[in-house]
Amino acid sequence: MEFRDLVRTLKRFRLLAAGVFAGVMLLGLAAAFLPADKYRASSTLLVEPSGDDVDFSDVEAVRFLLPALAERVDTSAFHARVEQAVPAEYRDEDVTLAASIEQGTGLVRLTAEGLDPRGVEVWANTAARTLIDQRVSQRIEISVLDPADLPTSPSSPRKVPILLGSALLGLILAVFAAFAGTRLRQRM
């Protein structure tokens, strides 16, 4: 099929193509603007061997305990402990906590995500303090490398990528709908 055939098909079925494009764009607009904005704040912790005499076994202890620290953050018991430590005005926030580790380093990133930007900042910093207060082992020391900052913009939904993706998908589906209309017309 040549380009002029494509143009001719799109001209013939322009209403169908425009309708499909508009439908996909409406779905994209709904996906971009209907969900509530969520905010994310992260606090970075440094996990290192404690004491002045650091040997290979202390370094291995850090490497061994890092995944356990990340898993601890994902538990409901840890979430409840952080909720008790958060100031009363932020306790009722619907906040999710997660942790990730930077492979090959002693860095743990605690992330809080929710609807209130100030609330997620408070939750992330409180979760960091709570994790530090829970002594996992005498062989490691945990400290806050970078406390969570107040998020200035929502982390989701990402409106621009959703709208661009919807426009691209709408164009593709509009062309396919025009081709389907041509095939259907030829059969009749």
Side-chain angles (χ1 to χ4, degrees):
M1 173 173 276
E2 294 181 12
F3 183 72
R4 65 181 162 175
D5 295 333
L6 171 65
V7 171
R8 192 176 324 131
T9 300
L10 287 175
K11 279 184 181 178
R12 182 177 295 145
F13 292 98
R14 63 184 169 273
L15 290 178
L16 176 62
V20 169
F21 180 77
V24 172
M25 284 305 296
L26 281 174
L27 289 174
L29 285 169
F33 291 104
L34 287 182
D37 289 341
K38 287 193 174 185
Y39 295 87
R40 183 179 295 146
S42 296
S43 180
T44 305
L45 303 173
L46 177 64
V47 181
E48 56 191 346
S50 62
D52 296 328
D53 275 352
V54 176
D55 61 6
F56 183 72
S57 64
D58 293 331
V59 174
E60 283 300 311
V62 170
R63 241 187 264 169
F64 177 76
L65 291 172
L66 275 175
L69 286 172
E71 288 299 319
R72 178 175 287 200
V73 172
D74 290 336
T75 64
S76 59
F78 182 80
H79 193 278
R81 192 167 289 143
V82 173
E83 187 175 4
Q84 289 175 352
V86 166
E89 64 208 63
Y90 299 110
R91 281 196 186 128
D92 294 334
E93 296 285 329
D94 184 22
V95 175
T96 58
L97 294 173
S100 61
I101 55 176
E102 297 286 329
Q103 293 299 326
T105 68
L107 297 178
V108 176
R109 185 161 286 115
L110 278 170
T111 304
E113 186 175 55
L115 300 176
D116 178 22
R118 179 75 179 127
V120 295
E121 176 195 19
V122 169
W123 272 78
N125 289 325
T126 304
R129 282 192 306 277
T130 303
L131 193 61
I132 291 170
D133 292 343
Q134 293 180 346
R135 292 289 298 188
V136 177
S137 171
Q138 298 299 325
R139 298 181 79 179
I140 66 169
E141 185 177 315
I142 306 171
S143 59
V144 176
L145 190 63
D146 185 27
D149 293 327
L150 182 68
T152 56
S153 62
S155 60
S156 69
R158 299 189 150 232
K159 294 172 177 57
V160 173
I162 290 173
L163 292 175
L164 288 176
S166 297
L168 183 63
L169 182 63
L171 286 173
I172 292 170
L173 290 178
V175 170
F176 280 131
F179 284 137
T182 300
R183 292 287 180 208
L184 194 61
R185 187 173 183 179
Q186 287 174 351
R187 287 189 180 191
M188 289 185 173

